[in-house]
Amino acid sequence: MNINPIQLFDTESSTFTYILAAPGETEAVIVDPVERHWERDLRHLERLGLTLRYVLETHAHADHVTSAGKLREKTGALAAVPSGCGIAPAELQLNDGDTIRFGQAEEIRVLHTPGHTAGSMSYVWRGNVFTGDTLLIDGCGRTDFQSGSADALFDSVHGKLFTLPDDTRMWPGHDYKDQSVSTIGWEKRHNARLAGRTREDFVKLMGELKLPKPKLIDVAVPANQNLGLPHGG
């Protein structure tokens, strides 16, 4: 049965945070929490009577600082992160094909989807996929830093994400155009950067974007590799 996540938004970085919980369950998972909103997120969990079991990261973000470490301290949840992102303090270093279990019988399937960064992960749960910056609504993440690769992103999307059922709901890590959710089928047919493009076309397109360096990258990435905590914290 498809169950939609709770979708929360940070307007400063256009980042989505997701709370995953099934009806009748008392355990929850949060995906890509943002440091400035940790109290908001705890209030949502408390209101719903949920205990936080895992904090998941899709990658080491360059545009905001995570609250993973703070939430771990406050709730006793475990941090689960992509093994290729250098987030050493996390309890779980995830690899492709891993399964995260919570609640009575909830399972999240881990997909390694590199391209935006070398370690980027996507997470599949109950007819939903959380794609981080790998696949965005009508777009995709940039591939020009943090060991990014347009070739790898093309493979991740076509070989992993676009092989999911067409009716899989696709929940991105960011959106800049007031969109909130898509489907794998729609992205396969309409995504402006990926639909109908050859690998060569896509690599050329990504190489010509010439995007400015993220303003927070020099602060955010080291902080996020420490779960958003001060080093030594």
Side-chain angles (χ1 to χ4, degrees):
M1 180 175 63
N2 284 21
I3 297 172
N4 284 349
I6 298 164
Q7 185 184 55
L8 304 165
F9 192 60
D10 172 53
T11 56
E12 190 170 321
S13 64
S14 299
T15 298
F16 286 120
T17 294
Y18 299 97
I19 296 174
L20 283 52
E25 294 281 4
T26 59
E27 286 191 346
V29 168
I30 195 166
V31 181
D32 288 342
V34 176
E35 195 279 332
R36 67 180 67 87
H37 297 304
W38 67 268
E39 292 174 298
R40 174 203 68 182
D41 298 343
L42 287 180
R43 285 196 298 270
H44 278 292
L45 293 164
E46 183 178 2
R47 186 181 304 119
L48 295 169
L50 296 170
T51 299
L52 190 61
R53 179 78 174 111
Y54 291 108
V55 183
L56 268 62
E57 298 286 349
T58 56
H59 61 293
H61 307 275
D63 55 2
H64 69 271
V65 174
T66 180
S67 63
K70 175 72 78 170
L71 292 175
R72 186 178 67 167
E73 287 179 354
K74 295 291 184 181
T75 66
L78 303 178
V81 303
S83 61
C85 286
I87 309 173
E91 287 84 2
L92 277 74
Q93 299 289 330
L94 300 172
N95 294 295
D96 187 60
D98 285 351
T99 300
I100 300 162
R101 294 180 172 85
F102 67 106
Q104 294 298 309
E106 297 303 303
E107 295 187 349
I108 298 169
R109 183 157 54 100
V110 177
L111 302 179
H112 182 212
T113 50
H116 175 63
T117 73
S120 291
M121 294 287 194
S122 298
Y123 301 112
V124 180
W125 174 69
R126 281 186 174 260
N128 303 290
V129 60
F130 304 88
T131 54
D133 288 28
T134 300
L135 183 63
L136 304 177
I137 297 173
D138 203 26
C140 65
R142 62 193 293 175
T143 58
D144 58 337
F145 60 82
Q146 285 184 272
S147 301
S149 163
D151 267 304
L153 194 142
F154 187 91
D155 288 339
S156 293
V157 170
H158 287 278
K160 296 276 184 68
L161 299 176
F162 282 179
T163 64
L164 296 170
D166 278 4
D167 62 354
T168 303
R169 293 189 180 95
M170 192 279 285
W171 304 89
H174 298 278
D175 190 81
Y176 309 97
K177 300 176 182 177
D178 295 324
Q179 303 165 125
S180 59
V181 62
S182 186
T183 66
I184 289 296
W186 193 94
E187 298 303 324
K188 282 163 66 172
R189 293 188 298 273
H190 302 292
N191 188 286
R193 288 191 180 168
L194 287 148
R197 290 189 189 272
T198 65
R199 176 190 301 274
E200 292 72 24
D201 289 343
F202 177 71
V203 170
K204 183 174 184 289
L205 171 71
M206 297 304 289
E208 293 174 348
L209 291 179
K210 302 293 187 283
L211 297 169
K213 179 180 175 180
K215 290 183 289 186
L216 290 180
I217 186 170
D218 294 331
V219 173
V221 172
N224 290 331
Q225 288 178 327
N226 200 48
L227 296 176
L229 296 171
H231 281 272

